[in-house]
């Protein structure tokens, strides 16, 4: 029985899959079960940040697998301690503490729980807890009941109501809409510094500064979802620093590229004092407040440590910036009517397509049609919304691979051009 037939028969049909089954990967390339080879500019949707089966990651995983794979957070876990220290000291570079889970959605649930704890500790004037988290149009925060309710996209929530209460959605990058929106029950503002699934839209510096000002004025938490944009992807360790480096968030969530392919998510909570007694925000998530059986186990933490060492040691954030300017320069030189613009920092790039300049097969969006044509020519890319194609190569991608991918993308777009 072919893999596709087994999947159709035995796996819930929640994914619209491409008609290929991948069986092997090395660096920027993957192979399918029929021997087809592809340049991978999808990387498991911004996950394989140092490429497929990087020797350093393979060595870390096999070495740890031979020592200790799992033991429970009932005990000390050495790679977890090292990873938390690396994240705090080298990447966030602000005092705080990390919790490890298994996915991005879970990490956001942790931030939402932190906001609710904060709302209990710093209640409304009448003593009732604050609980509301403000999020933004076209955001994507995940598929658990909490992170789905935080996600301001009805297509993600359809048929799953009643949603978890306590969220309100505001227009993205619109400081004037946000200012009057704060209510007595509001406790936090959560956003992606660069929206990924919503189409690659960076927050403006002015918008972020307005958020900071409102958080100070109304005693709110500022929470960044860096699940897709964090850890070098945007050309800095943390994406918000590419926009407004002076900002100090209260919480950050990550997953995807942190583990380079192993399932790990995490959130960080600041040690900043939230009251006159000097209570640290991070202390609100004390013993018993949150837990995960697998979270931060030795195997995934050893893998993530190898990934972060490679990103920092090879300065892959600098490569992300370098490749960004090369890609932008090439695509703008094409002068293709079907390309409206290229958006995004580092290697979180969106190529926005003009539907009027493309002939798209029935039932396909422009982004899906270009993705299909790229795949047929040996390049994997991924849509971000109906009209944007995302380029998410590994952070160590070479100029040669970028040039090869761009030639395929050009060919794919022109093949569909009206
Ligand atoms: N937040 C952002 C910004 C994401 O891009 C994603 C996944 O695409 C998530 C959260 C959810 O992550 P996961 O699929 O690991 O639960």
């Amino acid at each position: 029985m072919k893999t596709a037939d087994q999947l159709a028969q035995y796996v819930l049909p929640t994914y619209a899959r491409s008609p290929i089954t991948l069986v092997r990967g090395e660096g920027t390339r993957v192979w399918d079960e029929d021997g087809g080879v592809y340049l991978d500019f999808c990387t498991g949707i911004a996950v394989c940040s140092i490429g497929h089966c990087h020797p350093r990651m393979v060595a870390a995983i096999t070495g740890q697998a031979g020592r200790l794979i799992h033991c429970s957070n009932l005990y000390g876990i050495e790679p977890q301690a090292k990873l938390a220290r690396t994240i705090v000291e080298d990447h966030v570079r602000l005092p705080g503490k990390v919790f490890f889970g298994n996915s991005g959605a879970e990490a956001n649930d942790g931030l939402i729980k932190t906001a609710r704890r904060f709302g209990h500790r710093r209640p409304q004037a009448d003593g009732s807890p604050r609980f509301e988290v403000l999020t933004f149009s076209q955001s994507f925060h995940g598929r658990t009941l909490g992170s789905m309710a935080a996600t301001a996209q009805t297509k993600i929530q359809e048929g799953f109501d009643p949603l978890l209460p306590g969220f309100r959605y505001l227009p993205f990058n619109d400081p004037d809409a946000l200012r009057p929106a704060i209510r007595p029950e509001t406790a936090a503002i959560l956003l992606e510094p660069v929206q990924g699934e919503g189409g690659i839209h960076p927050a403006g510096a002015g918008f972020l500064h307005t958020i900071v000002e409102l958080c100070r004025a109304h005693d709110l938490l500022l929470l960044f979802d860096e699940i897709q944009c964090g850890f070098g992807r945007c050309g800095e360790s943390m994406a918000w620093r590419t926009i407004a480096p002076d900002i100090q968030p209260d919480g950050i969530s990550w997953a995807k590229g942190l583990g380079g392919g192993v399932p790990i998510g995490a959130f960080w909570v600041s040690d900043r004092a939230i009251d006159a007694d000097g209570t640290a925000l991070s202390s609100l998530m004390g013993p018993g407040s949150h837990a995960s059986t697998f979270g931060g186990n030795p195997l995934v933490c050893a893998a993530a440590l190898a990934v972060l060492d490679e990103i920092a040691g090879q300065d892959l954030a600098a490569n992300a910036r370098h490749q960004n300017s090369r890609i932008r320069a090439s695509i703008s030189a094409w002068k293709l009517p079907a390309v409206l613009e290229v958006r995004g920092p580092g290697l979180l790039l969106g190529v926005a397509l003009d539907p009027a300049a493309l002939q798209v097969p029935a039932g396909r969006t422009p982004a899906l049609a270009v993705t299909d044509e790229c795949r047929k020519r040996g390049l994997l890319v991924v849509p971000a919304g109906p009209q944007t194609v995302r380029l998410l190569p590994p952070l160590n991608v070479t100029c040669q691979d970028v040039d090869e991918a761009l030639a395929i993308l050009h060919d794919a777009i022109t093949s569909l051009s009206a």
Side-chain angles (χ1 to χ4, degrees):
M1 205 171 178
K2 290 279 283 181
T3 302
D5 298 331
Q6 291 184 61
L7 290 169
Q9 186 160 345
Y10 299 113
V11 176
L12 271 180
T14 63
Y15 300 104
R17 297 180 199 263
S18 294
I20 56 171
T21 293
L22 300 177
V23 293
R24 188 163 77 83
E26 191 182 323
T28 39
R29 276 165 221 268
V30 284
W31 285 260
D32 70 20
E33 63 183 353
D34 301 317
V37 58
Y38 306 85
L39 251 182
D40 189 3
F41 275 43
C42 167
T43 54
I45 318 187
V47 167
C48 306
S49 41
I50 60 171
H52 292 280
C53 300
H54 191 286
R56 191 164 185 170
M57 219 183 136
V58 172
I61 292 171
T62 49
Q64 188 62 48
R67 272 193 303 281
L68 181 67
I69 294 176
H70 182 81
C71 63
S72 165
N73 287 295
L74 292 172
Y75 312 101
I77 299 177
E78 193 191 2
Q80 185 185 114
K82 282 189 184 156
L83 179 60
R85 183 179 168 178
T86 303
I87 290 174
V88 173
E89 300 293 338
D90 303 344
H91 295 270
V92 180
R93 305 198 299 268
L94 296 167
K97 295 178 177 49
V98 181
F99 177 92
F100 291 101
N102 312 284
S103 69
E106 262 186 82
N108 282 334
D109 278 353
L111 286 184
I112 294 162
K113 284 180 74 171
T114 306
R116 291 205 171 180
R117 278 258 155 145
F118 173 72
H120 276 257
R121 189 62 173 245
R122 307 278 299 161
Q124 302 179 44
D126 66 2
S128 55
R130 294 187 289 156
F131 55 86
E132 186 182 62
V133 178
L134 302 181
T135 65
F136 297 95
S137 50
Q138 294 306 112
S139 56
F140 184 75
H141 298 297
R143 306 275 192 162
T144 57
L145 287 170
S147 60
M148 174 180 68
T151 295
Q153 293 194 52
T154 42
K155 70 171 192 216
I156 305 286
Q157 301 167 338
E158 208 180 302
F160 296 117
D161 50 303
L163 297 179
L164 181 74
F167 297 89
R168 202 145 43 89
Y169 314 128
L170 292 155
F172 190 58
N173 270 334
D174 187 345
D176 295 334
L178 183 58
R179 271 179 218 288
I182 316 295
R183 293 179 183 162
E185 64 268 29
T186 309
I189 299 178
L190 167 67
L191 75 157
E192 298 154 80
V194 182
Q195 287 191 338
E197 301 301 308
I200 315 296
H201 295 285
F207 183 55
L208 286 188
H209 282 124
T210 301
I211 290 177
V212 170
E213 175 201 316
L214 292 171
C215 285
R216 278 210 196 106
H218 299 276
D219 190 22
L220 312 176
L221 297 185
L222 169 55
L223 308 175
F224 283 146
D225 175 341
E226 291 243 356
I227 285 161
Q228 184 158 163
C229 59
F231 291 115
R233 172 77 34 204
C234 290
E236 283 276 348
S237 182
M238 295 289 110
W240 94 79
R241 290 210 170 97
T242 66
I243 304 165
D246 54 307
I247 286 178
Q248 303 197 348
D250 296 307
I252 315 170
S253 54
W254 305 282
K256 290 191 179 273
L258 165 62
V262 299
I264 183 170
F267 68 95
W268 168 92
V269 180
S270 168
D271 281 341
R272 93 167 158 86
I274 53 162
D275 58 20
D277 301 336
T279 307
L281 177 62
S282 53
S283 71
L284 302 188
M285 296 301 281
S289 62
H290 204 43
S292 163
T293 294
F294 292 126
N297 89 4
L299 189 73
V300 295
C301 289
L305 262 173
V307 171
L308 296 191
D309 281 355
E310 184 68 15
I311 290 174
Q314 304 298 319
D315 199 0
L316 297 184
N319 189 51
R321 293 195 296 274
H322 176 58
Q323 300 300 348
N324 177 294
S325 20
R326 292 184 72 254
I327 292 169
R328 281 172 178 275
S330 297
I331 295 181
S332 69
W334 296 347
K335 299 200 185 324
L336 285 181
V339 175
L340 292 174
E341 62 170 337
V342 178
R343 287 191 295 266
L347 290 170
L348 183 53
L349 279 164
V351 180
L353 302 164
D354 182 357
L358 290 166
Q359 274 173 344
V360 171
R364 304 305 269 170
T365 63
L368 280 170
V370 169
T371 301
D372 291 342
E373 291 304 318
C374 285
R375 189 187 62 250
K376 286 181 205 159
R377 291 164 172 78
L379 171 68
L380 302 185
V381 293
V382 60
Q387 288 166 25
T388 304
V389 166
R390 245 178 308 182
L391 305 180
L392 303 166
L395 304 180
N396 53 5
V397 69
T398 61
C399 295
Q400 203 184 342
D401 283 343
V402 163
D403 294 346
E404 190 183 330
L406 288 175
I408 296 175
L409 180 65
H410 179 272
D411 199 27
I413 296 174
T414 43
S415 77
L416 293 164
S417 291

